[in-house]
Amino acid sequence: MLSVADLKKGIKLIIDGDPYVVTHFDFVKPGKGQALYKCKMKNMISGITLDRTYRSGENFEPASMDERDMEYLYKEGTHYTFMDQQSYEQVVMEEDAVGDAKNFLLENTKVSVLLFGDKPIGVTLPNFINLRVTQTDPWVKGDTSGNDSKPATVETGYVLRVPPFIEEGELIVIDTRTGEYSTRVKG
């Protein structure tokens, strides 16, 4: 069990049967009475944010999370299927649980899946991923309008800004944390 004194930013705990992560934490000691602990917590499944105030002496159940290396297999409708690398067990996630990671998922991509019990609640991608440009405007040599980037669509359908020298069919590296172009794949 966790006591209120153990709370700090990033701690995962269970409230009303759902996993929450503490996003903000303040300790308040009024002139009179018991100390108060003010917390902002985010539900790790639904994304709802709670503001709660606790008194010293209250206890919480820690949320047991498990992170497993998995491989993305395929998408069917709004469901994404992943396979555990060790047990070959498959788990299915809803599109809203996958979040922005869907913009960078290609079949056979290795990812980390966060599980609460047996329920998958999040995906962590590698920091950089290689994707092929499927559509972009051609670069006009001598175009010095000051615009140093242009939109490009990659094979997952994600649209990002790239330098003007990037052409259709090129493999580029994208930073999955920001969703921005990083560099061209050499070779």
Side-chain angles (χ1 to χ4, degrees):
M1 292 297 277
L2 294 170
S3 75
V4 177
D6 296 328
L7 292 182
K8 61 183 175 207
K9 189 174 179 180
I11 292 284
K12 296 170 180 78
L13 46 100
I14 295 178
I15 296 176
D16 302 328
D18 283 342
Y20 282 81
V21 62
V22 176
T23 57
H24 187 75
F25 178 79
D26 277 331
F27 173 74
V28 180
K29 176 79 170 107
K32 252 172 146 175
Q34 250 184 331
L36 300 173
Y37 297 84
K38 293 185 178 188
C39 299
K40 274 191 182 179
M41 296 172 281
K42 183 177 179 184
N43 185 311
M44 296 177 73
I45 296 172
S46 66
I48 294 171
T49 303
L50 288 180
D51 281 322
R52 294 267 174 102
T53 302
Y54 298 101
R55 297 188 183 282
S56 55
E58 293 188 50
N59 292 316
F60 305 97
E61 182 183 346
S64 60
M65 300 288 174
D66 186 23
E67 199 160 16
R68 290 197 211 148
D69 290 332
M70 296 200 178
E71 182 177 329
Y72 170 63
L73 296 178
Y74 60 90
K75 177 186 177 190
E76 189 174 325
T78 61
H79 297 82
Y80 289 76
T81 304
F82 297 87
M83 180 181 68
D84 191 313
Q85 297 283 287
Q86 274 72 45
S87 68
Y88 303 107
E89 172 188 345
Q90 291 184 8
V91 295
V92 177
M93 290 179 76
E94 291 291 329
E95 189 167 5
D96 55 345
V98 173
D100 290 339
K102 69 182 178 210
N103 296 325
F104 311 108
L105 282 175
L106 283 178
E107 291 179 1
N108 304 322
T109 301
K110 307 282 190 271
V111 298
S112 249
V113 175
L114 185 64
L115 298 158
F116 174 63
D118 287 336
K119 182 179 169 79
I121 61 171
V123 175
T124 305
L125 294 165
N127 289 341
F128 297 96
I129 200 153
N130 299 343
L131 293 174
R132 192 163 304 281
V133 175
T134 57
Q135 194 280 320
T136 190
D137 297 329
W139 181 31
V140 180
K141 225 179 183 131
D143 182 6
T144 56
S145 63
N147 191 2
D148 60 347
S149 67
K150 62 182 180 178
T153 306
V154 293
E155 55 196 307
T156 60
Y158 180 66
V159 178
L160 71 157
R161 309 276 316 162
V162 297
F165 54 82
I166 298 295
E167 297 174 6
E168 280 185 28
E170 281 194 75
L171 204 56
I172 61 172
V173 178
I174 298 173
D175 186 335
T176 58
R177 298 164 295 190
T178 62
E180 294 175 356
Y181 166 86
S182 180
T183 185
R184 267 198 288 203
V185 174
K186 292 162 181 57

